[in-house]
Amino acid sequence: MHRVHWAFTALLGIGSFGFCYAGPIHAQCKVDWFFGIPCRVVYESLVSQIKKWTTSSCMAGGQRCLYKLQSASVHFITAKHTNPDKRHVEDINFRLVSYQFFASCHVTAMSISETWYAIKDHGTNYCNLYNLIEGSHLTQSRGYKEVTSEFLCTQRSTANCTVY
Ligand SMILES: *[C@@H]1O[C@H](CO)[C@@H](O)[C@H](O)[C@H]1NC(C)=O
């Protein structure tokens, strides 16, 4: 019992250490997504969704516009997203890694605000990434799973991706 308690305390210690020293200065978001479909399909869905949303008219609502593809290979996609208010730009990237003999795909996605003072982002960095996954219907794909947290994504819990 004693040992279990010690381990728990140690874990808490590491947790708060991480929180104090690794807290984001720029608003940012890191999400892991798992799909039971090949990375090539995930890649094609994401790239075509980014291209669909390059328009500056945000008619589809919220922030589903003003994306710009920077580079794309089946393992790594980079893009920029500008907020409709034109003042905030986020750098986003997706790293795709196959597993289960190419039947499944693990995607690590990052979004970081370019402006250092954008510390409160109303979940924009999360929505930036999530909207692409949702818009391309990858949320409905076989084996879909999301792993993230409030710590990894600024203001994720209060994010409303219809707006942001
Ligand atoms: C998100 O914002 C939209 C538009 O303002 C609103 O209709 C919707 O109820 C909001 N959703 C949540 C979960 O707050």
Side-chain angles (χ1 to χ4, degrees), residues 88-108:
H88 294 105
V89 177
E90 290 99 34
D91 290 303
I92 65 182
N93 68 65
F94 296 91
R95 185 175 296 280
L96 294 80
V97 177
S98 295
Y99 67 103
Q100 287 180 344
F101 300 103
F102 300 97
S104 297
C105 190
H106 172 197
V107 177
T108 304

Side-chain angles (χ1 to χ4, degrees), residues 21-154:
Y21 290 94
I25 293 169
H26 293 238
Q28 60 182 12
C29 181
K30 177 176 179 287
V31 189
D32 284 289
W33 275 294
F34 298 86
F35 306 98
I37 54 175
C39 280
R40 176 153 291 278
V41 179
V42 175
Y43 164 80
E44 280 162 6
S45 304
L46 286 174
V47 168
S48 76
Q49 199 59 54
I50 291 168
K51 287 179 177 168
K52 244 180 241 168
W53 285 346
T54 50
T55 167
S56 60
S57 77
C58 304
M59 294 304 278
Q63 308 267 337
R64 293 173 176 135
C65 50
L66 295 166
Y67 281 91
K68 188 168 184 288
L69 191 66
Q70 301 282 109
S71 72
S73 78
V74 76
H75 302 295
F76 199 63
I77 301 167
T78 63
K80 279 183 190 288
H81 179 247
T82 306
N83 279 281
D85 69 13
K86 305 286 196 302
R87 282 180 294 133
H88 294 105
V89 177
E90 290 99 34
D91 290 303
I92 65 182
N93 68 65
F94 296 91
R95 185 175 296 280
L96 294 80
V97 177
S98 295
Y99 67 103
Q100 287 180 344
F101 300 103
F102 300 97
S104 297
C105 190
H106 172 197
V107 177
T108 304
M110 288 280 304
S111 172
I112 303 173
S113 295
E114 285 186 359
T115 25
W116 66 268
Y117 54 82
I119 291 170
K120 292 200 185 302
D121 73 343
H122 307 287
T124 299
N125 281 287
Y126 171 73
C127 293
N128 253 343
L129 303 168
Y130 176 79
N131 284 338
L132 288 171
I133 300 288
E134 199 263 341
S136 58
H137 307 296
L138 285 168
T139 44
Q140 288 153 41
S141 69
R142 180 166 13 106
Y144 169 77
K145 191 176 156 217
E146 178 186 89
V147 179
T148 186
S149 67
E150 177 80 2
F151 173 66
L152 291 172
C153 290
T154 318

Side-chain angles (χ1 to χ4, degrees), residues 158-164:
T158 53
N160 181 341
C161 293
T162 310
V163 183
Y164 295 104

